Short mmCIF file of all heavy atoms in Angstrom, two decimals:
data_model
loop_
_atom_site.label_atom_id
_atom_site.label_comp_id
_atom_site.label_asym_id
_atom_site.label_seq_id
_atom_site.Cartn_x
_atom_site.Cartn_y
_atom_site.Cartn_z
N THR E 2 -102.57 -63.90 27.09
CA THR E 2 -102.23 -62.73 27.89
C THR E 2 -100.98 -62.05 27.34
O THR E 2 -100.09 -62.69 26.80
CB THR E 2 -102.00 -63.13 29.35
OG1 THR E 2 -100.97 -64.12 29.41
CG2 THR E 2 -103.28 -63.71 29.95
N THR E 6 -94.71 -62.30 21.99
CA THR E 6 -93.89 -62.01 20.81
C THR E 6 -94.34 -62.86 19.64
O THR E 6 -94.44 -64.09 19.76
CB THR E 6 -92.40 -62.27 21.09
OG1 THR E 6 -91.97 -61.43 22.16
CG2 THR E 6 -91.56 -61.99 19.85
N LEU E 7 -94.64 -62.20 18.52
CA LEU E 7 -94.96 -62.89 17.28
C LEU E 7 -93.68 -63.11 16.48
O LEU E 7 -92.80 -62.24 16.45
CB LEU E 7 -95.91 -62.05 16.42
CG LEU E 7 -97.30 -61.72 16.94
CD1 LEU E 7 -98.00 -60.80 15.96
CD2 LEU E 7 -98.10 -62.98 17.17
N THR E 13 -92.32 -65.29 -0.56
CA THR E 13 -91.87 -65.14 -1.95
C THR E 13 -92.96 -65.65 -2.88
O THR E 13 -93.51 -66.74 -2.66
CB THR E 13 -90.58 -65.94 -2.20
OG1 THR E 13 -89.54 -65.42 -1.38
CG2 THR E 13 -90.16 -65.84 -3.67
N PRO E 26 -105.01 -67.39 -9.57
CA PRO E 26 -104.28 -68.08 -8.51
C PRO E 26 -102.80 -67.72 -8.46
O PRO E 26 -102.24 -67.15 -9.41
CB PRO E 26 -104.46 -69.56 -8.86
CG PRO E 26 -104.73 -69.58 -10.32
CD PRO E 26 -105.48 -68.31 -10.62
N THR E 35 -86.96 -64.32 9.45
CA THR E 35 -88.19 -63.96 10.14
C THR E 35 -88.01 -62.64 10.88
O THR E 35 -86.89 -62.23 11.19
CB THR E 35 -88.57 -65.04 11.17
OG1 THR E 35 -87.53 -65.13 12.16
CG2 THR E 35 -88.77 -66.39 10.51
N ALA E 56 -101.95 -51.40 7.77
CA ALA E 56 -101.61 -51.69 9.17
C ALA E 56 -101.74 -50.44 10.03
O ALA E 56 -102.27 -50.49 11.15
CB ALA E 56 -100.20 -52.25 9.24
N ILE E 75 -86.73 -56.31 12.84
CA ILE E 75 -86.71 -56.81 11.47
C ILE E 75 -85.27 -56.94 10.99
O ILE E 75 -84.53 -55.95 10.97
CB ILE E 75 -87.48 -55.86 10.53
CG1 ILE E 75 -88.91 -55.67 11.04
CG2 ILE E 75 -87.48 -56.40 9.10
CD1 ILE E 75 -89.68 -54.59 10.30
N ILE E 86 -92.36 -57.10 4.58
CA ILE E 86 -92.44 -56.24 5.76
C ILE E 86 -93.87 -55.73 5.95
O ILE E 86 -94.41 -55.76 7.06
CB ILE E 86 -91.46 -55.06 5.66
CG1 ILE E 86 -90.02 -55.57 5.52
CG2 ILE E 86 -91.58 -54.18 6.91
CD1 ILE E 86 -89.56 -56.46 6.62
N TYR E 95 -103.42 -57.05 13.11
CA TYR E 95 -104.65 -57.84 13.10
C TYR E 95 -104.64 -58.89 14.21
O TYR E 95 -105.62 -59.04 14.95
CB TYR E 95 -104.84 -58.51 11.74
CG TYR E 95 -106.11 -59.32 11.67
CD1 TYR E 95 -107.33 -58.71 11.44
CD2 TYR E 95 -106.10 -60.70 11.89
CE1 TYR E 95 -108.52 -59.44 11.42
CE2 TYR E 95 -107.27 -61.44 11.88
CZ TYR E 95 -108.48 -60.80 11.64
OH TYR E 95 -109.64 -61.53 11.64
N PHE E 106 -108.20 -68.93 18.98
CA PHE E 106 -108.49 -69.06 17.56
C PHE E 106 -107.37 -69.85 16.89
O PHE E 106 -106.27 -69.98 17.43
CB PHE E 106 -108.64 -67.68 16.89
CG PHE E 106 -107.39 -66.84 16.92
CD1 PHE E 106 -106.47 -66.89 15.88
CD2 PHE E 106 -107.12 -66.01 18.00
CE1 PHE E 106 -105.32 -66.13 15.91
CE2 PHE E 106 -105.97 -65.24 18.04
CZ PHE E 106 -105.06 -65.30 16.99
N LEU E 118 -108.84 -61.01 5.59
CA LEU E 118 -108.89 -60.50 4.22
C LEU E 118 -109.87 -59.34 4.09
O LEU E 118 -109.58 -58.32 3.45
CB LEU E 118 -109.28 -61.61 3.25
CG LEU E 118 -108.18 -62.53 2.73
CD1 LEU E 118 -108.77 -63.72 1.98
CD2 LEU E 118 -107.22 -61.77 1.82
N LEU E 169 -83.26 -68.55 -3.45
CA LEU E 169 -83.77 -67.19 -3.55
C LEU E 169 -82.61 -66.22 -3.42
O LEU E 169 -81.85 -66.29 -2.44
CB LEU E 169 -84.81 -66.93 -2.47
CG LEU E 169 -85.50 -65.56 -2.51
CD1 LEU E 169 -86.39 -65.46 -3.76
CD2 LEU E 169 -86.33 -65.33 -1.25
N TRP E 202 -99.44 -75.51 -11.59
CA TRP E 202 -99.96 -76.23 -10.44
C TRP E 202 -100.27 -77.69 -10.78
O TRP E 202 -100.03 -78.59 -9.97
CB TRP E 202 -101.20 -75.51 -9.92
CG TRP E 202 -101.91 -76.15 -8.76
CD1 TRP E 202 -103.22 -76.50 -8.69
CD2 TRP E 202 -101.36 -76.49 -7.47
NE1 TRP E 202 -103.54 -77.03 -7.47
CE2 TRP E 202 -102.41 -77.04 -6.70
CE3 TRP E 202 -100.10 -76.38 -6.91
CZ2 TRP E 202 -102.22 -77.48 -5.38
CZ3 TRP E 202 -99.91 -76.82 -5.61
CH2 TRP E 202 -100.95 -77.37 -4.87
N TRP E 205 -96.96 -79.33 -10.80
CA TRP E 205 -96.48 -79.41 -9.41
C TRP E 205 -97.11 -80.61 -8.70
O TRP E 205 -96.43 -81.38 -8.01
CB TRP E 205 -96.84 -78.10 -8.69
CG TRP E 205 -96.45 -78.00 -7.24
CD1 TRP E 205 -97.03 -78.66 -6.18
CD2 TRP E 205 -95.42 -77.18 -6.68
NE1 TRP E 205 -96.43 -78.29 -5.00
CE2 TRP E 205 -95.44 -77.39 -5.28
CE3 TRP E 205 -94.50 -76.28 -7.21
CZ2 TRP E 205 -94.56 -76.72 -4.41
CZ3 TRP E 205 -93.63 -75.62 -6.35
CH2 TRP E 205 -93.66 -75.84 -4.97
N ILE E 214 -91.00 -76.29 -15.00
CA ILE E 214 -89.92 -75.39 -15.42
C ILE E 214 -90.34 -74.57 -16.64
O ILE E 214 -90.09 -73.36 -16.72
CB ILE E 214 -88.63 -76.19 -15.70
CG1 ILE E 214 -88.05 -76.71 -14.38
CG2 ILE E 214 -87.60 -75.35 -16.46
CD1 ILE E 214 -87.03 -77.82 -14.55
N GLN E 222 -91.32 -64.76 -19.15
CA GLN E 222 -91.40 -64.13 -20.46
C GLN E 222 -92.56 -63.14 -20.52
O GLN E 222 -92.44 -62.06 -21.11
CB GLN E 222 -91.56 -65.20 -21.55
CG GLN E 222 -91.68 -64.64 -22.96
CD GLN E 222 -90.51 -63.75 -23.35
OE1 GLN E 222 -89.36 -64.04 -23.02
NE2 GLN E 222 -90.80 -62.65 -24.04
N LEU E 224 -93.73 -61.50 -17.93
CA LEU E 224 -93.29 -60.34 -17.14
C LEU E 224 -92.40 -59.43 -17.98
O LEU E 224 -92.57 -58.20 -17.98
CB LEU E 224 -92.53 -60.82 -15.90
CG LEU E 224 -93.34 -61.54 -14.82
CD1 LEU E 224 -92.42 -62.14 -13.77
CD2 LEU E 224 -94.33 -60.58 -14.16
N GLN E 239 -80.18 -63.00 -17.13
CA GLN E 239 -79.40 -63.46 -18.28
C GLN E 239 -78.12 -64.14 -17.82
O GLN E 239 -77.73 -65.18 -18.37
CB GLN E 239 -79.09 -62.28 -19.20
CG GLN E 239 -80.31 -61.74 -19.92
CD GLN E 239 -80.02 -60.45 -20.67
OE1 GLN E 239 -78.91 -59.92 -20.65
NE2 GLN E 239 -81.03 -59.91 -21.34
N CYS E 249 -84.23 -72.66 -14.52
CA CYS E 249 -85.15 -71.54 -14.76
C CYS E 249 -84.96 -70.53 -13.65
O CYS E 249 -84.45 -70.85 -12.56
CB CYS E 249 -86.61 -72.00 -14.83
SG CYS E 249 -87.27 -72.70 -13.30
N LYS E 251 -86.79 -66.46 -12.26
CA LYS E 251 -87.71 -65.35 -12.50
C LYS E 251 -87.58 -64.32 -11.40
O LYS E 251 -87.26 -64.63 -10.26
CB LYS E 251 -89.17 -65.83 -12.60
CG LYS E 251 -89.74 -66.38 -11.31
CD LYS E 251 -91.25 -66.60 -11.40
CE LYS E 251 -92.04 -65.32 -11.28
NZ LYS E 251 -92.03 -64.75 -9.91
N THR E 260 -86.00 -59.64 -5.56
CA THR E 260 -85.41 -60.98 -5.46
C THR E 260 -85.59 -61.75 -6.75
O THR E 260 -86.44 -61.41 -7.59
CB THR E 260 -86.05 -61.80 -4.31
OG1 THR E 260 -87.46 -61.88 -4.52
CG2 THR E 260 -85.76 -61.17 -2.96
N HIS E 292 -90.41 -72.01 6.36
CA HIS E 292 -90.96 -71.66 7.68
C HIS E 292 -92.45 -71.95 7.68
O HIS E 292 -93.13 -71.73 6.68
CB HIS E 292 -90.72 -70.17 7.98
CG HIS E 292 -90.94 -69.81 9.40
ND1 HIS E 292 -92.20 -69.63 9.94
CD2 HIS E 292 -90.06 -69.60 10.42
CE1 HIS E 292 -92.08 -69.30 11.22
NE2 HIS E 292 -90.80 -69.28 11.54
#
Side-chain angles (χ1 to χ4, degrees):
T2 57
T6 299
L7 297 176
T13 297
T35 62
I75 304 171
I86 301 302
Y95 181 81
F106 63 91
L118 275 170
L169 184 67
W202 177 235
W205 179 288
I214 289 164
Q222 179 56 40
L224 292 170
Q239 290 172 359
C249 64
K251 66 170 283 288
T260 57
H292 194 281

